[in-house]
Amino acid sequence: MCGICGVFEFDQERVVARAEVHAMNQALRHRGPDDDGIFIGHGIGLGHRRLSIIDVAGGHQPLSNEDGSIWVLLNGEIYNYPELRQDLLARGHVFSTRSDTEAIVHLYEDYGENCFARLRGMFAIALWDSKDRKLLLARDRAGEKPLFYYQDKNRLLFGSELKAILEGPGVSVSTDEEALFDYFSFGYVPNPKSIYREIRKVVPGHYVAVTQNGVRDSCYWDIFFQPNQELTEVEWQQQLRQQLGESTRIQLMSDVPLGAFLSGGVDSSTIVAMMREAQNGGPVTTCSIGFEEDEYNEAPFARRIAGQFKTDHHERTIHPQALEIVDKLAWHYDEPFADSSAIPTYYVSKIAREKVTVALGGDGSDEQFAGYRRYYFDQYENQLRRLVPPLVRQAVFAPLGRLYPALAWAPRVFRGKSTFQSLARSPLEGYFNSVTIFRSDEKPRLFTGDFLKQVNGYDSISVFQKHYESAGTDDLLARIQYVDIKTYLPDDILTKVDRASMAVSLEVRAPFLDHHLMQLAASIPSSLKLQGRNGKFILKQAMTGILPHDVLHRRKQGFAVPLNRWFRKELKEMAYEEIVNAHDGILDGRMLKKIWDQHQAGRYDRSAHLWTVLMYRKWKQAFQRSSCAAYAAPGC
């Protein structure tokens, strides 16, 4: 795993100063502590920070072809590089290293921009073609690795993290009001937006071509939800186990210590089982964390799986330092980010890094196999929608949604208000309403009038709408899975894991996100993914007899911290100052005081809303400084 950055001058006669690239590169040193490299050419500067995984001695970057006309930077891993290398050698190419990065150079020589579709892996790539004076920026299909770019009239800057771009001299950025509006809906900024109007994310499965004529965005991969009805359930189980085994096996390549995250849930336990099988029963290193609070502690389940597969298991009970961690996270995430499971993800990454340099995890399974409980509720509501005509639903359920008490403290099945609100809406509107933090009816009270004028009627549902309409299927479950794969997966789940793991220089791989496995999963009928309340049905069936019954069928626990308590105890004093007493002309203080009082009185659990506001305030504090690199305190 690495950090990449660079500068492209639209005037190719301009010289990029090495010091500029060096400053950008240094902002990424936590992503690659082992090595650094810089290349300066006519109108181009490339920087690389390396965490050595493959060809530790010979994989220095930037790396070029034989005549130095093509240069490449890679953040990530190309899992099929051995096969690519053999094919390229047969075609007459000469390799000077054993690194996967060099395969990209020669692949581009033969296939040009079509080379990215031939890669199997997780990656963010910058490729400089000096003959055509073209810079290519590519991102892997699921969005495991991040890549940002900034453009003004003179140049384009890119980097693995926003902080690298912000180190570029003369970079001028302003907050994107629509992105901020989205953040308070989702808890993250959805691609291709960033929190800054002038900086954009390369979209997963896309590449950006930059020349003197401007910037061109191209899609090289998409996922298609077209169910194959010809296979039986048993045949799907067999295919799924086979593909899981292969995607796990190819991700075990490493010249440094490798292990796995283990929570004891279905996904991480499946990966550990596949690792054990791929290594012919050889030892697997596993890492997990425990909490003192029983409702957050999955350590006993992890311990059981570790015992079953005889792993070299490392477990530690943690005591999250709430006051310390919020500042650390704000700096590492670069833009407002409100998924509080970033906290345990950071801690388990930190513990894993003491034993290994690479860890495999179970991310991506829930989105592909309908593992989230919200999929069940959405399916239930859609069944009711089919029974009641739209006009009747709006006439009956909309008033009930306004009048019914919120009951935010109760299990969702008893929260009639949110259910009635969703039923009065279309399927997409209902799903959007179910996943947003601050809902549409709260937004006018959350923001000041001046800020609402700036967003000028913008609605965050448009983020979902474009994907929902282009999903290529009429299956309602498949459509929201497609939406989640395009938004929640890359911009929340994978962002969370990348920044938390890179904060401690740990590489994390996700076998469930191998694109062959993703397309196989998309071909499985929805009826085999979600059966009643039972999500991930086909995955659980495929792992029956391999994993214990109670692990396969216990209620999904999630990876959480006690925010509810923190805002009443550990974080109370600091959070009150940051949330209620701070004024910025964007958030309405009356609304913030109201949700604070509701939470403190115990009438509602407003912890998710308070955390969202707090992480926004902490982001503003972190990045209002003149140099974000200077903000990185020791230990960050």
Side-chain angles (χ1 to χ4, degrees):
M1 203 57 60
C2 309
I4 65 176
C5 61
V7 180
F8 172 93
E9 296 284 355
F10 288 105
D11 179 357
Q12 290 291 290
E13 298 304 314
R14 292 174 65 93
V15 177
V16 177
R18 178 175 288 269
E20 294 181 10
V21 180
H22 176 73
M24 296 173 67
N25 219 20
Q26 283 298 97
L28 300 172
R29 60 190 180 273
H30 55 285
R31 295 185 70 93
D34 298 333
D35 188 20
D36 69 320
I38 291 175
F39 166 76
I40 302 295
H42 290 294
I44 192 74
L46 306 175
H48 187 267
R49 294 289 319 194
R50 187 181 185 211
L51 178 64
S52 302
I53 305 292
I54 302 294
D55 192 8
V56 173
H60 178 78
Q61 297 184 45
L63 186 150
S64 73
N65 61 348
E66 295 93 328
D67 65 6
S69 62
I70 299 169
W71 289 82
V72 70
L73 303 171
L74 168 66
N75 168 27
E77 304 292 346
I78 308 302
Y79 302 126
N80 66 331
Y81 91 93
E83 295 86 353
L84 293 174
R85 179 187 175 95
Q86 289 303 313
D87 178 63
L88 290 164
L89 285 169
R91 296 167 71 92
H93 290 278
V94 177
F95 283 74
S96 59
T97 74
R98 294 187 300 105
S99 75
D100 52 347
T101 307
E102 190 172 5
I104 300 169
V105 171
H106 299 307
L107 203 63
Y108 176 76
E109 288 179 307
D110 282 6
Y111 299 102
E113 293 181 14
N114 293 323
C115 69
F116 305 119
R118 295 176 175 268
L119 301 176
R120 187 175 186 179
M122 59 175 184
F123 52 83
I125 294 169
L127 188 148
W128 168 241
D129 182 340
S130 64
K131 291 181 179 178
D132 288 346
R133 316 301 295 171
K134 178 168 62 177
L135 173 69
L136 298 174
L137 304 174
R139 195 172 175 200
D140 66 66
R141 296 165 178 83
E144 291 183 72
K145 294 296 100 188
L147 193 53
F148 300 82
Y149 63 98
Y150 162 94
Q151 181 184 355
D152 61 26
K153 63 180 181 180
N154 296 317
R155 59 191 174 156
L156 181 141
L157 283 68
F158 67 90
S160 295
E161 296 182 13
L162 284 168
K163 58 178 64 66
I165 295 175
L166 297 179
E167 284 298 317
V171 168
S172 177
V173 294
S174 54
T175 300
D176 185 327
E177 289 86 1
E178 289 187 4
L180 188 58
F181 198 82
D182 289 338
Y183 166 73
F184 283 99
S185 291
F186 306 121
Y188 57 84
V189 177
N191 74 84
K193 299 171 189 171
S194 84
I195 194 61
Y196 302 112
R197 187 178 293 108
E198 299 79 9
I199 301 178
R200 285 295 179 259
K201 297 164 184 164
V202 177
V203 176
H206 286 231
Y207 67 89
V208 171
V210 188
T211 67
Q212 290 172 282
N213 297 323
V215 176
R216 167 173 52 87
D217 180 276
S218 299
C219 175
Y220 70 88
W221 183 84
D222 201 357
I223 191 167
F224 298 97
F225 280 84
Q226 299 294 337
N228 180 345
Q229 304 288 356
E230 296 180 1
L231 299 185
T232 67
E233 181 184 319
V234 172
E235 289 172 329
W236 277 121
Q237 293 175 31
Q238 294 169 343
Q239 288 217 8
L240 185 52
R241 277 196 302 268
Q242 179 183 351
Q243 194 63 60
L244 267 169
E246 180 184 340
S247 62
T248 303
R249 177 187 57 78
I250 65 173
Q251 295 194 25
L252 294 178
M253 65 177 195
S254 176
D255 294 336
V256 295
L258 177 146
F261 291 150
L262 179 59
S263 69
V266 174
D267 305 329
S268 66
S269 300
T270 294
I271 297 304
V272 169
M274 294 296 104
M275 290 174 71
R276 178 81 172 178
E277 179 181 290
Q279 296 180 173
N280 296 316
V284 175
T285 299
T286 54
C287 302
S288 67
I289 56 174
F291 295 92
E292 289 183 333
E293 298 90 346
D294 288 340
E295 65 266 37
Y296 303 104
N297 187 28
E298 292 187 284
F301 297 101
R303 214 173 296 136
R304 179 177 179 186
I305 294 297
Q308 176 179 339
F309 292 104
K310 298 180 173 59
T311 73
D312 177 18
H313 190 57
H314 304 272
E315 175 193 313
R316 189 176 304 169
T317 299
I318 64 166
H319 309 274
Q321 300 300 309
L323 289 170
E324 170 194 316
I325 196 68
V326 289
D327 289 323
K328 189 185 296 291
L329 292 178
W331 187 81
H332 279 292
Y333 282 85
D334 282 344
E335 56 186 355
F337 186 75
D339 187 338
S340 60
S341 65
I343 297 173
T345 302
Y346 168 78
Y347 280 112
V348 74
S349 297
K350 188 175 182 181
I351 291 166
R353 187 63 177 90
E354 297 173 4
K355 304 296 178 182
V356 299
T357 309
V358 180
L360 273 61
D363 294 308
S365 171
D366 286 311
E367 291 81 7
Q368 296 181 76
F369 297 102
Y372 296 122
R373 293 181 69 237
R374 63 177 183 255
Y375 292 148
Y376 158 72
F377 287 111
D378 188 74
Q379 185 180 68
Y380 171 73
E381 290 170 1
N382 283 330
Q383 290 171 348
L384 293 178
R385 286 188 183 96
R386 283 192 285 268
L387 296 174
V388 184
L391 292 178
V392 176
R393 287 192 284 106
Q394 290 181 2
V396 175
F397 293 133
L400 285 173
R402 289 192 295 270
L403 298 172
Y404 200 89
L407 300 181
W409 49 268
R412 179 168 171 171
V413 68
F414 298 116
R415 293 182 219 161
K417 187 178 187 70
S418 61
T419 300
F420 290 141
Q421 287 174 341
S422 288
L423 289 174
R425 296 174 164 93
S426 69
L428 174 61
E429 292 168 337
Y431 186 66
F432 173 78
N433 186 61
S434 73
V435 300
T436 52
I437 299 172
F438 285 95
R439 294 182 175 177
S440 299
D441 60 334
E442 293 179 309
K443 287 288 192 68
R445 290 173 287 140
L446 175 65
F447 296 112
T448 63
D450 288 341
F451 181 78
L452 290 172
K453 288 179 183 177
Q454 290 179 296
V455 297
N456 192 29
Y458 171 76
D459 193 336
S460 295
I461 196 173
S462 62
V463 174
F464 281 10
Q465 187 79 43
K466 64 178 181 180
H467 298 304
Y468 193 80
E469 292 178 350
S470 60
T473 177
D474 293 327
D475 184 306
L476 295 182
L477 174 59
R479 293 181 86 165
I480 61 174
Q481 286 182 279
Y482 184 85
V483 168
D484 279 351
I485 287 170
K486 296 295 183 179
T487 57
Y488 181 69
L489 177 64
D491 298 320
D492 186 307
I493 299 299
L494 299 180
T495 294
K496 172 188 66 181
V497 173
D498 176 82
R499 305 307 189 280
S501 60
M502 283 288 92
V504 297
S505 304
L506 176 76
E507 175 176 294
V508 178
R509 302 174 181 174
F512 279 110
L513 295 179
D514 174 75
H515 73 277
H516 293 285
L517 177 56
M518 291 182 72
Q519 189 54 61
L520 175 71
S523 303
I524 300 175
S526 291
S527 60
L528 292 178
K529 297 173 185 175
L530 180 61
Q531 293 202 350
R533 292 176 174 267
N534 190 9
K536 292 193 278 200
F537 174 80
I538 191 65
L539 176 62
K540 294 172 182 176
Q541 292 297 103
M543 297 306 293
T544 297
I546 301 173
L547 298 180
H549 181 273
D550 57 346
V551 168
L552 288 171
H553 298 285
R554 72 183 176 93
R555 179 170 173 165
K556 185 176 177 63
Q557 191 163 336
F559 207 30
V561 289
L563 284 186
N564 192 321
R565 189 200 73 207
W566 280 6
F567 280 113
R568 295 192 182 103
K569 294 183 179 180
E570 292 96 323
L571 286 176
K572 183 176 182 179
E573 184 176 344
M574 179 273 285
Y576 185 84
E577 291 300 316
E578 298 286 356
I579 295 172
V580 180
N581 280 354
H583 303 284
D584 58 8
I586 293 176
L587 301 180
D588 191 301
R590 294 167 297 181
M591 178 64 166
L592 299 181
K593 182 65 163 60
K594 178 181 178 180
I595 64 175
W596 177 269
D597 290 343
Q598 287 175 339
H599 188 80
Q600 297 304 320
R603 296 195 303 271
Y604 301 90
D605 179 359
R606 285 285 203 168
S607 56
H609 303 87
L610 295 174
W611 184 257
T612 302
V613 176
L614 179 62
M615 295 313 294
Y616 160 65
R617 302 283 202 210
K618 287 296 184 180
W619 164 76
K620 288 193 71 174
Q621 289 177 14
F623 290 94
Q624 283 177 341
R625 297 169 182 253
S626 59
S627 171
C628 59
Y631 179 77
C636 284

